[in-house]
Amino acid sequence: MTKRNCCFITTRLALQWATLSQHAKRSHWSRLLSVVRLFAQYRAVEDPRTEIPPLYLLSQKPDRAIPYIYSNKELRQLLVAFQSLPSKGLRPHTYYTFFGLMMVTGCRIGELLALNRDDLDLNNGWITIWNSKFNKSRLLPFHPTTVEQLKKYSNARDKFLGQNTPAFFISEGGTRITTWSTRRIFVQVSKQIGLRGPDDQNGPRIHDIRHRFATKTLLNWYRNGLDINQKISLLTTYLGHKKPSDTYWYITGTPELLAQATTRFEKKIGE
């Protein structure tokens, strides 16, 4: 403070001090600013000129990875490649159905891996997701074509291994498929169809399928002239989020979506 010729704490001064180390992580800056904030709260009692840095200044908000929005063609290529996996008989059925279900529901990978036989009601056309993130459970209805594929997989699975496990998606060894094996096969297939280079360590992710589902759902609503503010709560519930702001985190401003939003905005201005 002496070097800055300042007699009391200001938010600007606190921020400059906390970020002196340009190579430090944001988490380190945030901790330093927290120390200043506590001291400023103490000093403010004696010196009303003291500024207390805002609570969320330099807070550790998660960095949003730029999602990859798959095209319809790329999703079809993935599904065709899953159908061609080397197998004793079940693996292509398992991963084709697993990723197909993810594409039409936007479910998290862990939610589908945890599915049990009893979680599916194929007569009524829905599944139950139990105790997922935020301890939320939800019921997801399906299109008849999805129900038909789930029935086909159920028959193939039972014919291959019987009903010796409660898990819905199983490996050829009769056990529930794992996160590790699912990610490994996804990377393998992604390289096969050109979504990743042969030596790429990073590329389009499984989780990006969920981003794609949220973005495409919003785009379809715009195209159909629906009220987004009214419908967003429905998407929030379907995806298992706590609040709409969590859902908007998944929305990516694709050219098509931005064009629809701009057109809607221009119409409202012209009213």
Side-chain angles (χ1 to χ4, degrees):
M1 290 178 64
T2 303
K3 291 182 179 180
R4 300 286 182 176
N5 295 319
C6 187
C7 301
F8 55 91
I9 297 172
T10 65
T11 297
R12 181 180 179 182
L13 182 62
L15 189 60
Q16 289 175 344
W17 178 78
T19 59
L20 277 175
S21 178
Q22 294 299 309
H23 300 292
K25 293 183 178 180
R26 190 178 183 89
S27 58
H28 178 70
W29 292 348
S30 181
R31 286 193 294 271
L32 290 179
L33 193 61
S34 296
V35 173
V36 178
R37 186 179 297 111
L38 290 173
F39 181 65
Q41 290 171 344
Y42 164 75
R43 285 292 303 158
V45 176
E46 297 184 358
D47 189 344
R49 297 176 300 171
T50 301
E51 296 179 7
I52 301 174
L55 185 61
Y56 297 106
L57 190 63
L58 290 183
S59 63
Q60 273 196 279
K61 295 181 179 179
D63 293 327
R64 183 181 188 268
I66 298 176
Y68 183 88
I69 305 301
Y70 297 92
S71 67
N72 291 339
K73 178 181 178 181
E74 288 168 336
L75 293 185
R76 287 193 295 268
Q77 288 177 321
L78 282 169
L79 291 177
V80 169
F82 287 127
Q83 287 180 310
S84 303
L85 288 170
S87 168
K88 297 176 182 178
L90 188 63
R91 182 180 291 133
H93 298 289
T94 296
Y95 288 101
Y96 172 83
T97 306
F98 180 91
F99 281 100
L101 186 59
M102 180 177 288
M103 291 171 190
V104 299
T105 63
C107 280
R108 303 175 179 94
I109 181 174
E111 293 172 341
L112 297 189
L113 290 173
L115 276 181
N116 288 324
R117 295 170 182 266
D118 293 342
D119 297 335
L120 286 87
D121 184 342
L122 298 182
N123 291 324
N124 291 305
W126 63 59
I127 62 172
T128 304
I129 303 294
W130 295 104
N131 301 321
S132 186
K133 194 173 182 180
F134 311 118
N135 293 318
K136 293 175 69 69
S137 298
R138 63 194 193 277
L139 197 67
L140 303 183
F142 291 143
H143 189 274
T145 55
T146 301
V147 174
E148 187 62 29
Q149 176 56 37
L150 291 173
K151 287 180 177 179
K152 287 181 180 179
Y153 175 68
S154 295
N155 293 333
R157 180 201 58 206
D158 292 346
K159 182 179 179 180
F160 189 80
L161 289 171
Q163 300 184 13
N164 300 320
T165 173
F168 184 71
F169 289 111
I170 57 176
S171 68
E172 292 184 334
T175 59
R176 189 186 302 273
I177 59 174
T178 65
T179 301
W180 180 85
S181 64
T182 303
R183 293 189 186 282
R184 177 178 60 81
I185 287 177
F186 178 79
V187 170
Q188 170 190 326
V189 167
S190 294
K191 291 181 178 181
Q192 178 182 327
I193 68 172
L195 276 174
R196 295 185 183 213
D199 301 319
D200 286 352
Q201 298 298 314
N202 298 297
R205 309 166 301 165
I206 292 177
H207 199 62
D208 290 332
I209 296 175
R210 184 168 165 86
H211 281 274
R212 194 255 187 197
F213 178 86
T215 300
K216 288 295 184 180
T217 298
L218 203 67
L219 178 59
N220 289 335
W221 285 343
Y222 268 119
R223 286 172 173 167
N224 292 322
L226 300 178
D227 189 326
I228 302 302
N229 291 328
Q230 290 183 359
K231 300 289 287 185
I232 195 66
S233 295
L234 178 62
L235 183 57
T236 296
T237 301
Y238 195 88
L239 289 173
H241 291 152
K242 292 179 67 176
K243 52 188 183 297
S245 60
D246 297 332
T247 304
Y248 280 119
W249 174 267
Y250 276 81
I251 306 300
T252 297
T254 62
E256 301 97 325
L257 184 59
L258 292 175
Q260 290 289 332
T262 300
T263 300
R264 178 76 61 87
F265 180 67
E266 289 175 345
K267 285 182 179 180
K268 283 192 173 295
I269 290 179
E271 290 178 354

